[in-house]
């Protein structure tokens, strides 16, 4: 049953992709390679890393920020339990956004919701690192 | 037409999510909030950043790596054209992987395909930074 459902999902994804609205390509193994997308991944370090209140405020702000229309997918994250030398796990919150293209990401930067987010919440963080990536 | 196709897609995503296979939740605005996932985002810096050959070799390696079964979605990226102070854009390749959970990511780390990837291609990079994140 799982298998069928997954196939239905992928079939439909294919149809949507043809219509230009969705950005997945299913490969032979059934997993999805993301293509023709713009990934905007932001990591925040808080001024008060031990403040649960500040953390919750930032999450509240990002929930508001998620309303920006050009965002196709988003994820609000925190460091996983993994811990190796190469893993950066000192950030407080990761903010993953997927856009259809660079223009949509640019539009997001200028969106009033985004400007208000920066205005209202930027006092919470001391450092932010952004990785923007497009198909290699 | 776009709208209908997107709705079909989201309907089906809902069904798949109920079956426990897919990891999206559509919110009121039609965009998707990723939930109950493990994001593993890796950034590579090459020993020879100007070598197109080395870049292509790493891409070849990541294509092989993408066959690991527990990967649900992946994206091979390069820095976008965006350029602000907060943007880290000196890496050569970004490697985004989505897993269902921490156990699947751990399994990926130990997968023979992954071990072979490190063995065959790690001489190409001088630095790698990993951000693992789970739902905040």
């Amino acid at each position: 049953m799982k298998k069928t459902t997954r196939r239905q999902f992928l079939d439909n994804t294919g149809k949507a992709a043809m219509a230009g609205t969705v950005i997945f390509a299913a490969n032979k193994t059934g997993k999805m390679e993301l293509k023709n997308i713009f990934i905007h991944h932001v990591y925040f370090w808080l001024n008060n890393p031990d403040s649960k209140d500040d953390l919750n405020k930032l999450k509240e702000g990002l929930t508001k920020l998620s309303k920006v229309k050009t965002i196709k997918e988003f994820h609000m994250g925190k460091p996983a339990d993994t811990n190796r030398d190469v893993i950066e796990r000192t950030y407080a919150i990761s903010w993953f956004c997927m856009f259809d293209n660079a223009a949509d990401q640019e539009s997001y930067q200028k969106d009033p919701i985004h400007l208000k987010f920066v205005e209202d919440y930027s006092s919470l963080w001391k450092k932010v690192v952004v990785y923007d990536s497009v198909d290699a």
Side-chain angles (χ1 to χ4, degrees), chain A:
Chain A
M1 176 180 171
K2 267 195 175 182
K3 223 169 185 174
T4 311
T5 308
R6 181 142 187 99
R7 185 166 304 123
Q8 285 169 350
F9 170 71
L10 293 173
D11 281 356
N12 225 342
T13 304
K15 279 176 216 157
M18 282 188 289
T21 53
V22 177
I23 29 54
F24 306 125
N27 70 13
K28 281 178 217 158
T29 61
K31 65 171 65 81
M32 286 187 279
E33 178 169 11
L34 303 171
K35 282 278 191 187
N36 301 312
I37 58 164
F38 187 110
I39 291 181
H40 173 68
H41 211 159
V42 186
Y43 304 93
F44 293 94
W45 282 259
L46 296 179
N47 277 315
N48 303 309
D50 298 327
S51 167
K52 192 100 184 161
D53 279 355
D54 283 11
L55 185 74
N56 285 335
K57 262 184 234 165
L58 180 54
K59 287 164 71 173
E60 167 199 282
L62 290 169
T63 300
K64 291 179 192 170
L65 182 59
S66 74
K67 307 306 179 202
V68 175
K69 280 195 180 152
T70 56
I71 299 173
K72 281 293 178 296
E73 297 189 15
F74 66 95
H75 180 255
M76 206 188 300
K78 65 180 180 186
D81 288 336
T82 50
N83 201 350
R84 303 192 309 280
D85 280 353
V86 292
I87 299 177
E88 172 55 78
R89 58 192 318 281
T90 62
Y91 63 94
I93 292 282
S94 78
W95 175 241
F96 170 86
C97 288
M98 200 188 290
F99 297 93
D100 274 348
N101 51 53
D104 278 3
Q105 195 280 142
E106 207 181 317
S107 159
Y108 157 87
Q109 291 294 336
K110 296 170 186 164
D111 193 289
I113 297 173
H114 188 263
L115 301 178
K116 180 93 171 101
F117 166 76
V118 174
E119 190 185 321
D120 291 348
Y121 297 95
S122 61
S123 64
L124 295 173
W125 63 78
K126 66 176 167 199
K127 182 180 149 190
V128 60
V129 178
V130 177
Y131 294 81
D132 283 343
S133 48
V134 294
D135 299 7

